[in-house]
Amino acid sequence: DEWLAGLLAPAPPAGVALVAVGGHGHGELSPRSDLDLLLLHDGRGAPADIAAVADRVWYPVWDLGLALDHSVRTPAQARKAAEDDLRVQLGLLEARHVAGDPALTAELRTAALARWRAQAHRRLPELREACEERLRRHGELRFLLEPDLKEARGGLRDATALRAVAASWLADAPRAGLTEARRCLLDVRDALHLSTGRATDRLALQDQEQVANALGLLDADTLLRQVYEAARAIAYAGEVTWREIGRVLRSRSGRGPGRTRLRGLLASGPAGERAPLAEGVVDHEGEAALALGARPERDPVLPLRAAAAAAQAGLPLSPPTVRKFARAGRELPVPWPREAREEFVTLLGAGEATVPVWEALEAEGLVSRLLPDWERVRCRPQRNPVHRFTVDRHLVETAVRAAALARRVHRPDLLLVGALLHDIGKGWPGDHAVSGETIARDMAARMGFGAADAEVLATLVRHHLLLVETATRRDLDDPATVRTVARAVGTRGTLELLHALTEADALATGPAAWSQWRAGLVADLVARTDAVLSGEPAEWQAAPYEPTAEAERLAVEAWRTGGPVLALHTRAEGGAAEVGTDGAGAGVGGPGDGGTGGGAEAEPVGVELQIALSDRPGVLPAVAGVLALHRLTVRSADLRHLDLSEAVTGAPAASVLLLTWRVAAEYGSLPQAARLRSDLVRALDGSLNIDARLAEREEAYRGARGHRRRGAQAPPPRVDVAPDGSRLATVLEVRAQDAPGLLHRIGHALEEAGVRVRSARVSTLGASAVDVFYVTGPDGAPLTSPDAAALAGGLEAALLPERGPEARR
């Protein structure tokens, strides 16, 4: 400011002022921020003189390479610009005198504030719509792994909007923690500018450790948690403020159920304004508030009763009421009385209406007082792109999803509480399911659940990933798989709860975590496990594989022609439609010649690809390589030998290999079956060099990733032998960085090791692939322990990044 004032000196003309506006005016400049300046003049000076003054100020700023947002206006022109552009209006509300004629600046500020207050009924809805548009474009700051500190909801622009609302005199934001939250985001932005040397507001992953170090924080997670806490405070203040603005504007317009505070004070009695919701809780002007005679200091259950009543009625909790609960300081006895537990479950069972009520309790620290272990997961980031939310919000969202499934289970109370606690162990080191089991048992006792119910909740938390991981990574036809799940679950009632929790957890995680395919696999596993828990032996469920008529047809065609035969089926909502079939010398069957099912409108949830061919070395890596070349993501793979009888072939009995794949196109339409078959034939006879083609793709992929992440190194691959995974085969679990052709590389390594792949389960979690293979020796028996360990070690070595295609060959 002193430097800018010096540029206007030594003899600024009369009727000229240099004014800082926007963030500059409010004193919120970061090291790389723009200078927001207005050269204000009274219009009496000659245009050439005003232009000369402007050049005297602007050019030195530009010469230093500083970003400058500037304008030259009279007060009338400034008011007209504000009328046409809301951002100009907001900037003028922050106007601050820097140099020149202070009376001119004072006149501008007075006029801008007066006009803002006079037009608040029209401009505030415009401001709110601008905030909602930023939310649609930039998302919620507190849930983003790479948040925009300024534009995302709960960011610095929202803090500016709250100051503008306060300047209107119609409402004021809750002040508790708001100043500290804004300062936190400003500090982080300052450190971000200094660490990167760039004018950026996006806290990118590769910059977070540097910023954390600059602020003296432990690590990037600590940094994100502080940012999220600040964003939550600003976002909650915004929700409360806009709700109040809406009520005031409705009152002024005479529309809607809202009435002015004066009319409320003049009402003849409490019945005129307050509708009872529960004991001590009323609906007052569209909010759940304390009844006139309520005494929270004498009634420790009242906060939960009010929260449950508000959520069930779909009303927000009144902020003064929540603050009164926080000040009352009356703690629930431990264990909780039955009424408290029932009100807590009622709150969780309200569905979507639970979220704003829970946020209100969080804002005043009431949740951590009820559940002390909650503090460790509050605002905790999840560095997994599959997750949409922080740990605490994910837990609440899971309870919301579980509420919609409550009619499916006999104990909805255990389902809802289990949903809220299933990831509670993520606040502790180690396996969060193991840590969470102990915490859940303790919290269940704190809530007043009996010992048996506490054990069920502990089991739900310990095994909340069991069903989906088993269903997608294990062979469900193997009796050992079902027996393992049955032993872990213990009872049919717990299985029922775990099934609902699995679905709720996945739906709350994000769209990539649940699909019709996964739901079907989990339901199949649950049905098999339920049969075992009912007394049916697991072996009875593993019926011998009986090929479908189409599988037999493909196998016969493959035996007859001596080449591979393919069939593609798209699985859409409501049924299956054949996409294409191809065999040697035959035309492609089905509509669209391998397109998208002849113009079907339903979105495919997966494609089944069946390939029949004679068993030979290199089949698995060849097929996986061809699928990778055509950008098909593999979800699962099953390999079986079909024995064709002499009656079928008209010749001595023969064996044909049938591979069934579940795939999905990365983007675009599905490839034609004829092209898949052609490339597979070339891959098998060696004329198509899959390794070279995939190496080119992998190099381009790594280059793009490395450019974005500044050379961030992925963790090394890991291969484990699952103990007691199966009595029929050795189970290998492969975890590695996902990349084009990864399954091809794994298949190549298994072929070189001389083992046979019986089946596979393939899944991708964010940037990590988790693939499970059931393998046997050449004799069809499981591997010995030493051989299995050696195979796992060799596969890990083969998947190391430095081993290129030539080294692998």
Side-chain angles (χ1 to χ4, degrees):
D1 284 351
E2 292 175 1
W3 174 63
L4 291 171
L7 295 178
L8 196 64
V16 173
L18 188 62
V19 183
V21 297
H24 186 183
H26 196 71
E28 291 182 349
L29 281 182
S30 289
R32 296 281 176 170
S33 292
D34 295 356
L35 298 183
D36 297 324
L37 293 171
L38 166 63
L39 187 63
L40 193 65
H41 65 97
D42 59 11
R44 298 176 184 176
D49 293 340
I50 300 300
V53 174
D55 290 345
R56 199 163 72 218
V57 177
W58 304 155
Y59 276 96
V61 176
W62 288 328
D63 289 343
L64 287 179
L66 299 178
L68 177 64
D69 187 354
H70 64 288
S71 59
V72 180
R73 292 178 176 133
T74 65
Q77 290 170 337
R79 289 193 295 272
K80 177 64 169 61
E83 186 74 22
D84 297 337
D85 190 334
L86 180 62
R87 295 186 68 171
V88 174
Q89 174 71 77
L90 297 179
L92 291 182
L93 296 180
E94 311 278 15
R96 179 173 53 81
H97 184 70
V98 175
D101 186 350
L104 200 59
T105 304
E107 176 191 344
L108 176 70
R109 277 185 52 83
T110 301
L113 285 168
R115 197 166 186 82
W116 176 248
R117 289 162 186 155
Q119 298 181 340
H121 65 285
R122 178 171 63 85
R123 302 309 296 266
L124 287 179
E126 186 181 350
L127 176 58
R128 182 172 190 177
E129 177 54 36
C131 293
E132 293 300 319
E133 176 60 25
R134 282 190 291 100
L135 170 61
R136 289 188 288 269
R137 293 181 60 188
H138 299 281
E140 289 257 15
L141 194 158
R142 55 183 169 153
F143 302 137
L144 298 172
L145 280 176
E146 294 186 305
D148 188 309
L149 301 171
K150 187 174 184 180
E151 301 291 345
R153 186 185 185 215
L156 292 169
R157 281 213 188 277
D158 274 357
T160 299
L162 290 176
R163 291 200 300 271
V165 171
S168 74
W169 290 356
L170 288 188
D172 197 5
R175 296 182 180 275
L178 198 55
T179 300
E180 294 78 3
R182 183 177 59 84
R183 286 176 179 170
C184 172
L185 296 185
L186 288 171
D187 287 347
V188 173
R189 187 173 68 168
D190 287 352
L192 179 62
H193 284 194
L194 292 171
S195 298
T196 63
R198 303 192 312 274
T200 178
D201 296 312
R202 183 169 296 281
L203 188 58
L205 289 172
Q206 65 266 22
D207 301 323
Q208 290 173 9
E209 285 292 345
Q210 283 181 289
V211 173
N213 291 336
L215 293 171
L217 301 176
L218 181 63
D219 54 24
D221 276 2
T222 306
L223 168 68
L224 276 186
R225 190 171 186 183
Q226 285 193 6
V227 168
Y228 292 162
E229 287 174 341
R232 166 176 271 170
I234 294 173
Y236 175 71
E239 290 173 7
V240 172
T241 301
W242 288 120
R243 194 162 67 236
E244 176 67 13
I245 286 293
R247 185 162 50 244
V248 170
L249 293 181
R250 284 194 304 272
S251 299
R252 288 193 168 191
S253 67
R255 294 189 300 270
R259 280 175 268 184
T260 62
R261 295 186 183 279
L262 179 60
R263 289 175 63 189
L265 290 172
L266 297 177
S268 59
E273 285 292 323
R274 298 169 179 262
L277 293 176
E279 183 184 350
V281 187
V282 296
D283 174 358
H284 178 60
E285 294 189 341
E287 292 181 335
L290 286 178
L292 295 178
R295 296 291 181 267
E297 66 277 3
R298 300 178 185 176
D299 185 355
V301 181
L302 184 55
L304 281 177
R305 190 185 309 123
Q312 288 293 325
L315 297 175
L317 267 176
S318 162
T321 295
V322 183
R323 288 194 290 271
K324 193 166 185 177
F325 288 151
R327 289 195 301 268
R330 180 74 185 273
E331 301 290 342
L332 276 172
V334 177
W336 295 358
R338 180 175 178 177
E339 182 194 357
R341 185 170 66 255
E342 290 177 349
E343 297 291 359
F344 186 68
V345 170
T346 301
L347 167 62
L348 297 180
E352 294 288 348
T354 299
V355 177
V357 174
W358 191 275
E359 292 287 344
L361 297 176
E362 277 272 50
E364 296 295 337
L366 290 172
V367 173
S368 294
R369 279 166 55 177
L370 288 169
L371 309 172
D373 287 285
W374 190 263
E375 187 64 24
R376 282 184 169 264
V377 297
R378 187 172 58 82
C379 291
R380 182 169 291 277
Q382 304 206 73
R383 295 189 176 275
N384 184 335
V386 175
H387 275 277
R388 294 180 296 174
F389 300 115
T390 51
V391 177
D392 57 339
R393 180 60 179 271
H394 169 69
L395 293 176
V396 177
E397 288 288 335
T398 304
V400 168
R401 298 288 186 167
L405 306 175
R407 299 294 185 269
R408 281 177 22 183
V409 299
H410 291 88
R411 289 293 303 274
D413 58 334
L414 296 182
L415 171 62
L416 292 168
V417 175
L420 185 73
L421 301 181
H422 76 278
D423 274 346
I424 196 70
K426 285 188 174 180
W428 296 82
D431 186 336
H432 75 280
V434 176
S435 303
E437 177 185 11
T438 302
I439 298 171
R441 190 179 286 109
D442 292 343
M443 292 179 78
R446 178 184 182 86
M447 294 178 193
F449 284 102
D453 288 346
E455 278 306 309
V456 172
L457 288 170
T459 300
L460 292 178
V461 173
R462 175 67 180 87
H463 296 297
H464 68 273
L465 296 174
L466 175 67
L467 295 182
V468 70
E469 289 187 346
T470 302
T472 56
R473 301 179 193 174
R474 294 291 186 265
D475 185 355
L476 302 190
D477 289 332
D478 192 327
T481 299
V482 180
R483 278 197 297 266
T484 299
V485 175
R487 280 197 302 269
V489 174
T491 68
R492 297 179 68 192
T494 304
L495 177 65
E496 176 187 68
L497 291 168
L498 192 60
H499 187 192
L501 174 57
T502 299
E503 182 174 344
D505 182 17
L507 291 172
T509 296
W514 196 243
S515 64
Q516 188 182 49
W517 169 72
R518 286 183 183 233
L521 290 177
V522 169
D524 186 15
L525 174 60
V526 169
R528 294 169 186 248
T529 306
D530 186 69
V532 170
L533 292 172
S534 299
E536 182 180 334
E539 285 78 5
W540 293 0
Q541 302 178 51
Y545 173 69
E546 294 186 5
T548 63
E550 182 185 29
E552 285 191 343
R553 180 180 64 81
L554 294 175
V556 171
E557 183 69 10
W559 171 83
R560 185 181 65 80
T561 62
V565 181
L566 288 71
L568 278 168
H569 296 275
T570 182
R571 304 291 178 183
E573 298 290 346
E578 185 169 335
V579 176
T581 307
D582 190 66
V588 179
D593 193 27
T596 57
E601 293 295 327
E603 177 69 15
V605 297
V607 176
E608 184 177 270
L609 169 64
Q610 286 189 313
I611 305 174
L613 72 170
S614 58
D615 195 3
R616 67 185 81 174
V619 168
L620 177 61
V623 176
V626 169
L627 297 181
L629 287 179
H630 286 271
R631 300 186 183 276
L632 289 173
T633 300
V634 178
R635 290 177 170 171
S636 68
D638 188 67
L639 294 79
R640 297 185 185 273
H641 288 83
L642 297 186
D643 294 324
L644 301 180
S645 65
E646 184 175 348
V648 173
T649 64
S655 179
V656 174
L657 185 63
L658 180 68
L659 300 92
T660 304
W661 304 76
R662 292 279 295 180
V663 298
E666 282 185 28
Y667 45 79
S669 60
L670 295 167
Q672 295 181 355
R675 289 192 59 193
L676 285 175
R677 181 186 182 277
S678 175
D679 285 348
L680 179 55
V681 170
R682 294 170 57 210
L684 291 170
D685 66 22
S687 60
L688 175 61
N689 190 337
I690 291 179
D691 284 318
R693 293 276 300 276
L694 287 177
E696 295 173 3
R697 286 260 305 277
E698 188 173 349
E699 187 64 30
Y701 178 85
R702 286 181 176 174
R705 296 281 291 182
H707 176 73
R708 288 198 304 268
R709 295 178 62 86
R710 297 185 178 179
Q713 294 296 314
R718 176 172 174 174
V719 182
D720 295 315
V721 180
D724 302 322
S726 172
R727 294 182 181 178
L728 307 177
T730 297
V731 181
L732 296 178
E733 187 169 283
V734 182
R735 297 174 182 266
Q737 188 77 359
D738 191 31
L742 174 65
L743 188 56
H744 168 74
R745 293 174 60 189
I746 295 173
H748 201 296
L750 294 175
E751 286 280 348
E752 288 185 338
V755 297
R756 300 174 63 186
V757 178
R758 180 174 173 269
S759 64
R761 294 291 182 271
V762 181
S763 61
T764 303
L765 302 175
S768 297
V770 183
D771 302 339
V772 176
F773 297 87
Y774 284 68
V775 301
T776 67
D779 58 354
L783 305 179
T784 64
S785 294
D787 288 345
L791 175 62
L795 187 53
E796 273 189 2
L799 295 178
L800 289 173
E802 60 269 23
R803 290 179 60 89
E806 293 300 324
R808 290 196 297 274
R809 282 200 297 276

